[in-house]
Amino acid sequence: MQPDVPARPRPFPDAETAPYWEAAARGELRVQRCSACGTHRFYPRALCPACHDDAHEWVRVSGRGEVHSFSVVRRAPSPAFAARVPYAIAMIALEEGPHMLSEVVGMDPDHVAIGLPVEVAFEDIGEGMRLPVFRPRGEGGSP
Amino acid sequence: MGKDLATLRPAIAGIGETRLGRIAGRTALQLQAEAARAAIADAGLRFEDIDGVVALPMRTQPSMMPAAAIAHYLGIVPSHLATLDLAGASGVAMVQEAAQALQAGSCRHVLCVSGQNMLSHRSRDDAIRQMAEAGAAHPQFEVPYGPLIPSLYALVAQRHMHEFGTTRAQMAEVAVAMRAHAALNPGAHKREPITVEDVLAAPPVSSPFGVLDCSLVSDGACAAVVTMSDRARDLPRPVVQLLGFGQGLSHTHVGEARNLVETGAVRSGAQAFRASGLRPSDIDVAMLYDCFTITVLVELEDLGFCPKGEGGRFVEGGRIRLGGELPVNTHGGLLSGGHPGLPGGFFHVTEAVRQLRGEAGARQVPDARIALVHGNGGIIGMHATMTMGRADAA
């Protein structure tokens, strides 16, 4: 990164989200799962949205999913993203159920499409943090 | 509805606005003072008559306890104050809050007021950055990926196009209709006519949106005085009654949405129609939150004006333009009338009042008797709907 390019906005782990970011730094995608009813949930919260139990564990998910929707960003929101445009923001539907916002990388953003099978990858954003992103996945292909 | 119940209905007795656009050198509070003074004068009241204030936070002029700060700034001695924030649903929700305070007997005349110098406060680029980083995107799980607010609504548009075959030209028709209406509104921010071709050829922002699919960044303030119908009848302006309210929430951040193309407007609309004994076919003019072109299509569907997935076809052929079957946002909406942020959806309320009074001039919908106003907050997650009618309509 050029020294005069401002850093992109970074996640700031807190008491509730630290397990997610610590897992991501290890190259694992983890979400909360309710210990009472088994529902996976994301974003993190204290109570299960389905049964309101507070018992939960952070479980590793497959990292596989598909593009539920997407948008190719052509006007950067801030100078930090100016060199990256165009890039494909996407809502990913994980196999385990939760949706999450991310970016599809490793392909021409103009070829991203709804229904595209994807798998998680991790982008180094410095200071020991990694950001979960998604790349296209071949049929049955999984690293 | 019996006459006794009708007299117990809340009503809007006065409205006031600044123009929308670039209003340099004025603070959010100064803009609100102009709108408040106009609304109170329009109601035929004095500041001394106002004993309730409902207000919104001011992003451009942060304040402790905004409703209290605004009341004190205006020299109002209140017996009921409320600050609320349901983002774009706030305009409708403010009126609902005022109505409930009046029905509870907490106060007699409530000033609802909101205003921001969203455009002049900082550069447009900084405003866009601020909205992207401290707006509706989740600060930890969305902002780091670099979405614009338009990108988050674009997720809705792409999914709608995928599921229902909605086209960019159909979305563009919303922008064209809003601009045609704004051309008839001297207070609107953008008034030069545009075509569908202009919208399709506009600089791309975040697919499928070009810049003309996106609402504006504007300065402006808006106010209304809400009272009970029996008191409103003694005031100079035609009485506009508040008939029914509803709210619906499907998600806060869009990344959590289970369904991008069906929203909390299903619930808010059904509740507002049920409370007022009305149906979509009873609505003469609709004010629908139009932060992006797609928003209007989804709202038309979820509020019951057309079946799910038919929003794109519904707006074809001028149906939502003046002279059409369901004129929408006759002031030009957020897309062309102007969008000062949190106050934006409140201009939909004041335009509905103007229509029901028959005071909309060149953009009057003939004999408008019943109006619907809908606000949408966050990334299409929070919804508030209300129906309003002329005193002789219910």
Side-chain angles (χ1 to χ4, degrees), chain A:
Chain A
M1 185 176 282
Q2 302 293 323
D4 58 342
V5 174
R8 65 196 281 178
R10 296 168 56 80
F12 42 94
D14 58 28
E16 190 146 64
T17 66
Y20 177 86
W21 293 113
E22 287 164 7
R26 296 192 302 269
E28 297 175 0
L29 187 63
R30 288 184 181 265
V31 303
Q32 291 172 313
R33 185 175 62 193
C34 176
S35 304
C37 76
T39 301
H40 289 87
R41 64 181 189 254
F42 191 68
Y43 304 149
R45 34 175 52 81
L47 306 181
C48 173
C51 76
H52 302 100
D53 202 283
D54 63 348
H56 66 272
E57 53 196 332
W58 282 89
V59 298
R60 188 172 183 182
V61 291
S62 67
R64 288 190 299 272
E66 66 171 46
V67 173
H68 184 76
S69 193
F70 70 98
S71 179
V72 180
V73 181
R74 297 191 184 278
R75 185 222 184 275
S78 66
F81 291 94
R84 296 175 66 92
V85 290
Y87 52 93
I89 295 292
M91 180 188 274
I92 307 297
L94 296 174
E95 280 185 350
E96 291 81 2
H99 288 174
M100 60 184 290
L101 197 81
S102 189
E103 179 181 350
V104 176
V105 301
M107 66 182 290
D108 180 345
D110 287 322
H111 292 165
V112 173
I114 289 173
L116 180 78
V118 291
E119 65 191 5
V120 74
F122 293 88
E123 182 174 338
D124 193 338
I125 52 171
E127 297 176 39
M129 294 194 78
R130 295 167 83 189
L131 194 62
V133 294
F134 286 79
R135 61 188 179 203
R137 156 169 68 94
E139 272 308 301
S142 168

Side-chain angles (χ1 to χ4, degrees), chain B residues 43-55:
Chain B
L45 293 169
R46 301 169 304 152
F47 275 84
E48 292 76 5
D49 298 316
I50 304 297
D51 56 359
V53 174
V54 180

Side-chain angles (χ1 to χ4, degrees), chain B residues 19 35 84 100 103 131 135 210 331 365 385:
Chain B
R19 69 178 174 85
L84 61 84
Q100 292 178 347
Q103 286 171 321
M131 284 187 277
H331 60 312
V365 174
T385 310

Side-chain angles (χ1 to χ4, degrees), chain B residues 29 46 332 362 380:
Chain B
L29 283 170
R46 301 169 304 152
I380 215 158

